[in-house]
């Protein structure tokens, strides 16, 4: 772990609530990376199912552990960001696994970089490839588990968004004037059982696009998702 008074390069942050069966695997994946440049912060929402016992058993891996009730995942993430000391912050959720930390890449990023976006492995052998071009105005082309956010650049998550506050944050970074760097490293395995993968709150996406890009982009966003849905239906099964 980083020495007392030493500023880590990366803070890995996990938020958890009543996930005793999954949290151990996530923590284990971080173990080999924790060291002088890497700290691990875990924010627990006041679990009652044995999660805390698993976390206490991993005290040699976890730099900082906070356990108290919160008002949702993004509230917990904001708490974790306030506890973080690293130059860059990476979110690793319960069920996810850390595969790589591109420390040399991160060491040499200039101060105008707000985010280094890397690839993420998904189920079925798929890989999420990030982009920071015009498509980010329409939908979230940066995967949360692949983003190393410069802690000096990121604002708190907007708690009005229960599901897509990460997309809102990325929209704010896009308009901040600071750079988003895309890299080919694959850094995490993502558990696709998370809230954003099973939500009915898609109206949040349109609201976020309207706030940051304007009404014309909302229409473009709607057409884009209609086109994607049609393309998926027309693709032969298994291709």
């Amino acid at each position: 772990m980083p020495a007392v008074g030493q500023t880590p390069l990366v803070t890995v942050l996990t938020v958890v609530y009543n996930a005793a069966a999954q949290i151990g695997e996530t923590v284990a994946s971080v173990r080999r990376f924790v060291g002088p440049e890497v700290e691990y912060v875990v924010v627990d929402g006041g679990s009652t199912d044995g999660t805390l016992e698993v976390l206490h058993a991993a005290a040699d891996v976890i730099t900082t552990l906070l356990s108290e009730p919160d008002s949702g995942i993004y509230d917990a993430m904001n708490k974790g960001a306030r506890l973080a000391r690293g130059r860059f912050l990476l979110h690793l959720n319960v069920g996810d696994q850390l595969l790589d930390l591109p420390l040399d890449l991160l060491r040499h990023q200039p101060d105008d970089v707000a985010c280094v976006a890397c690839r993420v492995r998904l189920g079925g052998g798929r890989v999420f490839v990030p982009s920071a071009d015009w498509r980010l105005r329409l939908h979230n082309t940066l995967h949360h588990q692949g983003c190393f956010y410069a802690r000096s650049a990121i604002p708190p998550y907007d708690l009005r968004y229960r599901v897509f506050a990460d997309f809102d944050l990325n929209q704010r970074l896009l308009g901040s004037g600071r750079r988003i760097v895309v890299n080919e490293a694959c850094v995490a395995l993502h558990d696709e059982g998370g809230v954003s993968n099973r939500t009915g709150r898609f109206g949040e996406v349109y609201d976020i696009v309207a706030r940051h890009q304007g009404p014309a982009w909302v229409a473009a966003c709607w057409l884009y998702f209609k086109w994607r849905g049609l393309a998926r239906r027309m693709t032969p099964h298994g291709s």
Side-chain angles (χ1 to χ4, degrees):
M1 295 186 184
V4 175
Q6 177 182 351
T7 301
L9 179 63
V10 177
T11 298
V12 180
L13 170 62
T14 296
V15 300
V16 57
Y17 178 67
N18 284 347
Q22 296 84 32
I23 188 61
E25 187 173 35
T26 299
V27 172
S29 76
V30 179
R31 178 179 293 276
R32 69 187 178 98
F33 297 100
V34 171
E37 292 186 288
V38 181
E39 67 171 3
Y40 190 28
V41 173
V42 179
V43 176
D44 172 72
S47 294
T48 57
D49 71 334
T51 294
L52 279 174
E53 286 78 1
V54 176
L55 295 175
H56 287 310
D60 60 322
V61 182
I62 299 171
T63 313
T64 303
L65 172 61
L66 173 68
S67 181
E68 64 182 24
D70 55 60
S71 60
I73 186 171
Y74 291 110
D75 181 34
M77 287 179 175
N78 283 341
K79 291 181 180 183
R82 290 193 292 268
L83 292 170
R85 298 182 299 128
R87 180 184 172 195
F88 291 96
L89 179 61
L90 175 71
H91 294 278
L92 192 73
N93 288 347
V94 173
D96 299 332
Q97 295 180 46
L98 187 60
L99 302 178
D100 187 26
L101 281 182
L103 297 180
D104 191 58
L105 169 71
L106 297 173
R107 287 186 200 107
H108 295 96
Q109 293 304 312
D111 291 339
D112 67 335
V113 171
C115 174
V116 178
C118 297
R119 299 184 179 193
V120 174
R121 189 187 303 169
L122 308 175
R126 295 171 297 134
V127 175
F128 184 98
V129 179
S131 63
D133 54 20
W134 61 269
R135 289 169 291 182
L136 184 53
R137 297 176 182 270
L138 300 175
H139 71 112
N140 211 4
T141 60
L142 304 178
H143 201 293
H144 218 177
Q145 281 75 1
C147 285
F148 295 87
Y149 291 108
R151 193 163 55 87
S152 63
I154 58 170
Y157 291 100
D158 189 334
L159 300 187
R160 84 183 77 181
Y161 300 116
R162 301 291 295 177
V163 175
F164 291 104
D166 56 338
F167 179 42
D168 173 71
L169 183 143
N170 290 336
Q171 290 272 303
R172 282 185 280 168
L173 289 186
L174 187 65
S176 71
R178 295 183 65 164
R179 287 196 296 141
I180 299 173
V181 174
V182 174
N183 187 264
E184 295 183 356
C186 187
V187 300
L189 172 64
H190 173 55
D191 175 10
E192 294 181 273
V195 63
S196 62
N197 297 108
R198 47 183 168 83
T199 179
R201 288 179 175 262
F202 203 76
E204 288 188 359
V205 172
Y206 296 127
D207 183 66
I208 291 165
V209 172
R211 288 182 63 226
H212 296 290
Q213 308 301 334
W217 281 93
V218 176
C221 180
W222 185 86
L223 289 170
Y224 178 79
F225 283 109
K226 287 293 183 182
W227 172 81
R228 285 185 62 182
L230 178 62
R232 279 196 295 267
R233 289 193 294 271
M234 294 178 65
T235 300
H237 183 72
S239 63

